[in-house]
């Protein structure tokens, strides 16, 4: 799926003759009000999310408050998103798709300290609860769902500014525990980093989460992000530190891939060994179904299959 500058959502077949595209829908997000302030050069920008089955897409304003979920079969908007204005400029818009019992669900921020689950097709809210019962002092950030959808990670922060990546059981939350994202028994906070969030993190499997930033107090946000800690997210236990890993993170087949400035690197997250690299290729996206990495340089889409380690 491609999102064009004028709001078109297009299906793109890179293997077809002449790289065929077909417009599936259009989106028009509400204008964003002026930001409270600029945090280290962050500006409001749109981001595209697509459900695993390709039926639904969401376009959200990172470092803003608005978004829309679209049914790509009909082109209609099924859910309008509003994450609230309070400190929205500090984080990407909290959003992710997941699946539960044959339904596609949208995880989305409805306030600076509140996440909800809604059905993507109908827009039905699934996590209604008393807002006064669960009061979480936590600014929700970028979300990532584990490969099989059992857990979710949140790259948020707390005041005084500390980045605090947190995780919880997604199936428990979708199964009726509406407050699981706030004070549920499966919610774990993995690390505390001074002035450090909005950093790459990714699930390696259903238990292991790779989080950028080294031991203890991490670097400030205006410093280069370097080093990865791998956690067992179930037991909140650090498993290994990979001090040389940097850049966007991806995972496949139990291996960790890092899009470092040097190129795409393959790491063994169990031993910390660098298994190989592709010099000069710095991808921004991983297509799990196709087994490819890709980057768009403004003119062309560059694709490469997952490198063979060794």
């Amino acid at each position: 799926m491609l999102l064009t500058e004028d709001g078109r959502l297009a299906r793109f077949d890179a293997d077809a003759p002449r790289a065929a595209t077909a417009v599936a829908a259009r989106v028009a997000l509400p204008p964003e009000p002026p930001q409270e302030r600029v945090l280290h050069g962050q500006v409001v920008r749109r981001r595209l999310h697509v459900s695993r089955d390709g039926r639904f897409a969401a376009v959200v304003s990172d470092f803003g408050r608005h978004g829309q979920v679209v049914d790509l079969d009909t082109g209609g908007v099924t859910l309008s998103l509003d994450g609230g204005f309070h400190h929205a400029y500090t984080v990407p818009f909290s959003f992710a798709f997941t699946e539960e019992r044959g339904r596609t669900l949208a995880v989305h921020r409805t306030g600076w300290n509140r996440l909800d689950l809604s059905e993507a097709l109908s827009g039905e809210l699934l996590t209604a609860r008393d807002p006064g019962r669960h009061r979480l002092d936590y600014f929700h950030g970028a979300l990532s769902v584990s490969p099989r959808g059992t857990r979710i990670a949140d790259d948020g922060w707390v005041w005084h500014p500390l980045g605090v990546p947190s995780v919880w059981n997604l199936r428990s939350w979708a199964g009726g525990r509406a407050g699981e994202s706030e004070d549920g028994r499966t919610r774990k906070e993995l690390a505390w980093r001074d002035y450090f969030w909005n950093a790459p993190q990714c699930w390696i499997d259903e238990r292991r989460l790779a989080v950028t930033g080294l031991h203890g107090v991490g670097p400030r946000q205006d410093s280069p992000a370097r080093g990865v800690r791998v956690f067992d997210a179930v037991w909140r236990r650090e498993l290994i530190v990979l001090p040389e890993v940097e850049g966007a993170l991806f995972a496949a087949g139990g291996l960790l891939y890092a899009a470092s400035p040097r190129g795409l690197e393959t790491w063994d997250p169990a031993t910390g060994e660098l298994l190989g690299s592709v010099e000069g290729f710095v991808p921004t996206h991983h297509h799990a179904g196709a087994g490819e990495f890709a980057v768009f340089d403004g003119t062309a889409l560059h694709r490469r299959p997952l490198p063979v380690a060794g």
Side-chain angles (χ1 to χ4, degrees):
M1 294 300 300
L2 302 179
L3 172 64
T4 66
E5 291 184 353
D6 60 1
R8 288 174 292 168
L9 289 166
R11 291 188 172 95
F12 175 72
D13 186 348
D15 289 328
R18 310 178 74 86
T21 60
V23 175
R26 294 177 182 268
V27 296
L29 299 186
E32 295 286 344
Q35 294 175 312
E36 293 179 54
R37 69 185 85 166
V38 176
L39 181 72
H40 299 288
Q42 303 288 16
V43 296
V44 175
R45 60 176 181 265
R46 293 179 301 171
R47 182 180 296 274
L48 172 65
H49 299 265
V50 183
S51 64
R52 192 186 304 266
D53 63 1
R55 170 75 185 273
F56 300 96
V59 179
V60 300
S61 293
D62 279 353
F63 308 103
R65 66 181 294 179
H66 296 294
Q68 292 179 341
V69 176
V70 177
D71 183 340
L72 296 173
D73 283 357
T74 66
V77 175
T78 64
L79 184 62
S80 293
L81 307 172
D82 187 341
F85 184 66
H86 184 55
H87 288 305
Y89 68 93
T90 63
V91 285
F93 193 99
S94 305
F95 186 90
F97 282 114
T98 189
E99 299 81 34
E100 177 69 13
R101 297 181 182 179
R103 298 184 298 175
T104 297
L105 307 182
V107 186
H108 56 104
R109 189 173 69 230
T110 52
W112 66 273
N113 64 344
R114 180 181 172 116
L115 293 177
D116 277 299
L117 280 168
S118 297
E119 188 177 31
L121 181 60
S122 66
E124 177 189 0
L125 177 66
L126 304 177
T127 47
R129 57 201 187 274
D130 179 0
R133 182 179 176 185
H134 305 275
R135 297 190 61 84
L136 186 67
D137 184 19
Y138 186 87
F139 293 83
H140 292 292
L143 304 176
S144 56
V145 175
S146 63
R148 296 204 308 270
T150 62
R151 291 181 172 81
I152 189 167
D154 188 343
D155 184 26
W157 65 280
V158 300
W159 192 266
H160 181 60
L162 293 166
V164 185
S166 63
V167 297
W168 63 95
N169 189 301
L170 188 50
R171 290 181 177 167
S172 294
W173 192 30
R177 294 178 178 167
E180 195 69 16
S181 64
E182 295 163 341
D183 57 6
R185 62 181 178 82
T186 67
R187 187 177 184 273
K188 306 284 195 305
E189 294 180 348
L190 299 182
W192 294 66
R193 290 91 54 84
D194 186 30
Y195 281 89
F196 188 69
W197 63 94
N198 295 345
Q201 62 183 35
C202 80
W203 290 96
I204 299 168
D205 49 37
E206 296 308 299
R207 295 184 70 102
R208 292 181 296 170
L209 181 72
V211 176
T212 299
L214 296 182
H215 282 288
V217 177
R220 296 181 66 90
Q221 285 190 330
D222 53 1
S223 300
R226 189 180 182 91
V228 162
R229 303 166 69 183
V230 178
F231 288 90
D232 181 322
V234 178
W235 295 105
R236 192 183 176 271
R237 183 173 68 239
E238 184 178 276
L239 301 175
I240 194 171
V241 176
L242 288 71
E244 298 303 316
V245 177
E246 59 182 323
L249 300 176
F250 313 96
L255 299 178
L256 183 66
Y257 297 89
S260 82
R262 300 175 294 275
L264 179 64
E265 298 178 344
T266 305
W267 294 84
D268 185 331
T271 66
E273 180 185 1
L274 176 62
L275 302 177
S277 63
V278 181
E279 186 177 351
F281 178 60
V282 185
T284 55
H285 290 77
H286 171 216
H287 191 317
E292 292 183 342
F293 290 108
V295 59
F296 180 63
D297 65 6
T299 302
L301 180 71
H302 301 274
R303 306 156 59 202
R304 283 179 179 266
L306 267 68
V308 177

